[in-house]
Amino acid sequence: MVRPGDSSAQVVSVLDRAEIDALFPGDLPEVEHWERQYPPRQLAPGAQVTRFCPSPTGSLHLGGVFVAMLDRAVARQSGGTYLIRIEDTDQEREVAGAVDEFDRAFAHFDLVSDERDGAADGDGGAGASAGAYGPYLQSARSRIYLSYVRELMRAGAAYPCFASKEELTAFAEEQRAVKVPTGYYGRWAPWRDADAEAVRARLAAGEPYVVRFRSPGEAAGRVSYTDVIRGTISADDNRNDVVILKSSANELRLPTYHFAHAVDDHLMRVNLVIRGDEWISSVPVHHQLFDAAGFERIPYAHVAPLMKQDGKAKRKLSKRKDPEASVEYYVSGGYPTDALWFYLRSLANGRLADLPIEQALAEPLRLEECGVAGPLVDLVKLADVAADLVATMSGEAILAEVLAWAQVYDTELAAAVAANRDVALRALDIERVGVANPRKDLHKWSDFRQVYGYFFPGVFEPVTNPADPRLGELPAEVVRGLATDFLRDYQHVNDSDAWFEQIRVAALANGFAGSPKEYKADKASFVGSTKEAAQVFRVLLTGSNRSPAFNLVTQALGETETRRRIGAVLDQG
């Protein structure tokens, strides 16, 4: 509420109270109603109430998750509250489905708000107990904002402005021509001190208007404030009479971000705002709005943006240019959540990078350790972190994560794995269990198809063509002969040397040299060496010329499937 003695309270409105009140719904509550409905929280000393406020004008940026991570950590560490507020006042640019995408991302990354909507309108309601400071959707809070806009207008701290888009464009062009900051101030603010009769005439004619804040800022004025991350910041004071309530021509009267966030943070009793550093330049006007409304100022912590290496230069991670800027990139790619958390936390507080993942995830995040230069997002490092994490997981844990991911993003793989759980677990044990240096070729769950997909009959396509180029361009009859002789005496043994001996016997029977050295000495006498023969069986079993040891692969597949795959090349006439 505007308090007597505030600089804004010294201005007399050009309209009287009755005329101002007539611009608003007759049943609009006074601001005291909202102050009572949203009383100060009962908090323990030092408890922080933070908020993350995405706008549904596009997909969620990784930087948003970064800020939300800080919000949640600071709130939870202090015994406070972390909440999410959807800032949807820019309804012309709202993207359909964006809020649902946010909800999925928040759930995926365990960033769900501590408070939920229980009421559908700005008057609260019986269902509001789920979140006593909601609604948490700005478009559902329009009546709240109107009460505070009306109060500012009554005090002369805000006024109606009828300037057209064309006039505003002309003002800006003139300002650029004389090399002064653009904005609505001074002689370019004709409705700031307009004659009362001119205002009444426009209102009587039904002309649309916006409501502007009457800035108390002065030319050449400077202000300073303390940023939680950056320390003391000095800036030019705000002179611009910003719009606080959008056009009266709109059916739903909504405020701009500047005013909405001030009202919401006050009534939701937020006591620390963590946000991107693009808002630093707006702090002077935000402080003016808080002061004019009689709200206690809230500390700001402005976070540096995530960066990307682009050649020799660094730039901001961009949703328009960089797929990895979108949160969906990590969700659909199946990056392990803990790996991404560890990586983002280490970007925020560098001391965590050298800790074991489990310890780093449990350590507190400290805003004072966040740098003022944007941290660099390096997908190679993230992949290494993820591989290290996956290497420590049990087969059962990996399988559960893969299935959860695949049921959404690769249903064919999900069905194949679910139908062959035992195969999957045996495959995951290969070169991971009982070895000093477990394999680290699985970085994200979407890699599973490429790395392990050949183990599953529902995914793997048997090689049926003996002339398949992957078989080393050997004559078709040689490939068939190898497969026939091998299967005739095949023993399903779990010993690397014994298994390879079976390849060697079949190879010698079909014109292969016993070793690469022997083949190299007399190539005309052989079709290849046992090395080339082994590659035939590797391709028949896995579809690739690289794989773990034969005995390990075939023990995971089982004897029946092993015979089926090798014999498939004999099925083509």
Side-chain angles (χ1 to χ4, degrees):
M1 293 174 287
V2 178
R3 299 166 179 168
D6 289 346
S7 61
S8 56
Q10 306 305 313
V11 180
V12 178
S13 172
V14 296
L15 301 176
D16 63 35
R17 182 178 177 119
E19 290 173 314
I20 291 170
D21 288 358
L23 301 177
F24 296 88
D27 61 347
L28 189 67
E30 295 294 327
V31 294
E32 289 81 5
H33 168 83
W34 306 117
E35 298 289 336
R36 289 191 300 271
Q37 180 164 321
Y38 304 109
R41 296 173 183 263
Q42 300 302 307
L43 298 171
Q48 301 283 359
V49 180
T50 63
R51 85 311 194 262
F52 175 57
C53 302
S55 173
T57 53
S59 59
L60 189 61
H61 193 286
L62 182 65
V65 168
F66 186 68
V67 171
M69 172 192 73
L70 292 168
D71 276 311
R72 188 190 68 161
V74 169
R76 297 279 175 85
Q77 290 162 194
S78 65
T81 299
Y82 155 73
L83 57 89
I84 293 173
R85 184 173 71 229
I86 303 298
E87 299 193 334
D88 64 337
T89 58
D90 191 355
Q91 300 207 318
E92 291 183 0
R93 295 175 56 226
E94 184 167 338
V95 175
V99 174
D100 291 336
E101 180 193 319
F102 293 168
D103 288 341
R104 290 192 298 271
F106 298 149
H108 181 85
F109 292 108
D110 191 24
L111 287 171
V112 175
S113 177
D114 292 338
E115 298 180 353
R116 302 292 190 93
D117 265 332
D121 57 53
D123 289 321
S129 59
Y133 290 83
Y136 301 93
L137 182 71
Q138 284 189 331
S139 60
R141 299 172 64 85
S142 61
R143 284 168 60 80
I144 299 175
Y145 307 127
L146 290 178
S147 293
Y148 285 90
V149 171
R150 181 180 63 187
E151 193 68 16
L152 289 181
M153 291 186 70
R154 287 171 176 173
Y159 59 90
C161 171
F162 300 89
S164 67
K165 290 182 179 179
E166 292 75 19
E167 289 174 311
L168 295 174
T169 299
F171 293 161
E173 289 176 352
E174 183 181 343
Q175 288 166 335
R176 283 190 285 267
V178 297
K179 294 181 171 53
V180 297
T182 58
Y184 197 87
Y185 63 93
R187 62 189 175 90
W188 298 286
W191 291 98
R192 177 182 171 103
D193 297 308
D195 179 75
E197 291 310 312
V199 174
R200 293 186 179 107
R202 295 290 185 105
L203 289 173
E207 292 190 24
Y209 63 91
V210 298
V211 176
R212 289 185 180 273
F213 172 62
R214 187 186 299 276
S215 170
E218 299 178 356
R222 297 283 293 178
V223 293
S224 296
Y225 64 95
T226 300
D227 185 282
V228 175
I229 293 174
R230 297 163 183 269
T232 300
I233 294 179
S234 295
D236 290 335
D237 199 2
N238 172 64
R239 295 178 60 201
N240 185 23
D241 286 3
V242 296
V243 174
I244 60 173
L245 188 65
K246 298 180 182 182
S247 175
S248 60
N250 298 333
E251 184 176 352
L252 180 63
R253 298 295 302 278
L254 290 174
T256 57
Y257 167 80
H258 294 302
F259 191 63
H261 106 279
V263 173
D264 289 341
D265 285 347
H266 168 68
L267 290 180
M268 291 181 180
R269 310 303 175 175
V270 172
N271 59 16
L272 175 63
V273 172
I274 305 171
R275 61 185 184 182
D277 68 355
E278 68 271 19
W279 292 107
I280 288 179
S281 61
S282 298
V283 171
V285 68
H286 292 168
H287 279 168
Q288 289 178 357
L289 288 168
F290 270 77
D291 294 346
F295 302 156
E296 183 178 348
R297 291 185 181 184
I298 300 172
Y300 290 112
H302 289 98
V303 179
L306 298 181
M307 307 293 284
K308 177 174 181 172
Q309 192 74 40
D310 192 354
K312 294 183 178 180
K314 293 181 182 179
R315 59 170 174 79
K316 290 183 180 180
L317 196 62
S318 165
K319 282 195 291 187
R320 290 185 294 105
K321 298 178 181 179
D322 309 313
E324 68 270 27
S326 171
V327 169
E328 184 60 23
Y329 175 88
Y330 303 92
V331 177
S332 62
Y335 281 85
T337 304
D338 280 353
L340 186 59
W341 272 135
F342 170 84
Y343 185 64
L344 291 178
R345 287 170 70 88
S346 66
L347 291 182
N349 285 182
R351 64 185 163 83
L352 303 179
D354 296 326
L355 298 178
I357 290 179
E358 186 174 350
Q359 182 181 349
L361 294 178
E363 285 284 313
L365 285 177
R366 300 167 184 158
L367 290 179
E368 62 271 20
E369 292 183 12
C370 293
V372 297
L376 185 66
V377 174
D378 186 334
L379 291 181
V380 175
K381 288 185 179 179
L382 174 58
D384 288 342
V385 169
D388 288 342
L389 172 66
V390 174
T392 68
M393 296 172 63
S394 69
E396 286 282 3
I398 293 173
L399 188 58
E401 295 285 357
V402 168
L403 280 172
W405 172 85
Q407 284 163 1
V408 177
Y409 296 100
D410 191 342
T411 54
E412 180 188 57
L413 178 65
V417 173
N420 297 272
R421 288 184 61 89
D422 290 345
V423 172
L425 291 172
R426 290 196 297 268
L428 285 167
D429 282 350
I430 294 174
E431 297 177 351
R432 295 183 67 253
V433 175
V435 296
N437 297 303
R439 61 192 294 186
K440 295 182 179 181
D441 49 0
L442 194 59
H443 306 91
K444 52 190 186 295
W445 311 133
S446 58
D447 293 339
F448 190 85
R449 174 184 278 269
Q450 179 182 351
V451 178
Y452 292 100
Y454 64 83
F455 284 99
F456 304 99
V459 174
F460 179 75
E461 260 189 57
V463 179
T464 59
N465 181 6
D468 189 303
R470 290 174 294 175
L471 297 173
E473 299 182 351
L474 293 169
E477 62 272 15
V478 171
V479 173
R480 289 197 186 98
L482 267 177
T484 299
D485 290 345
F486 181 89
L487 289 174
R488 183 177 59 245
D489 299 316
Y490 175 64
Q491 297 295 311
H492 193 62
V493 293
N494 189 15
D495 179 86
S496 179
D497 292 340
W499 213 100
F500 194 83
E501 178 62 19
Q502 296 181 91
I503 292 178
R504 194 182 72 82
V505 170
L508 292 176
N510 285 275
F512 288 83
S515 69
K517 183 178 180 180
E518 184 182 0
Y519 173 60
K520 186 176 181 180
D522 189 6
K523 290 185 177 181
S525 300
F526 304 101
V527 293
S529 72
T530 48
K531 179 181 177 181
E532 284 73 34
Q535 286 299 86
V536 169
F537 290 99
R538 198 177 301 279
V539 170
L540 293 178
L541 289 169
T542 70
S544 171
N545 56 19
R546 296 185 65 185
S547 76
F550 287 110
N551 63 303
L552 299 178
V553 171
T554 54
Q555 287 299 308
L557 291 174
E559 182 174 357
T560 300
E561 180 65 12
T562 296
R563 288 182 173 275
R564 185 181 78 87
R565 293 187 180 191
I566 294 173
V569 78
L570 303 175
D571 295 339
Q572 191 175 83

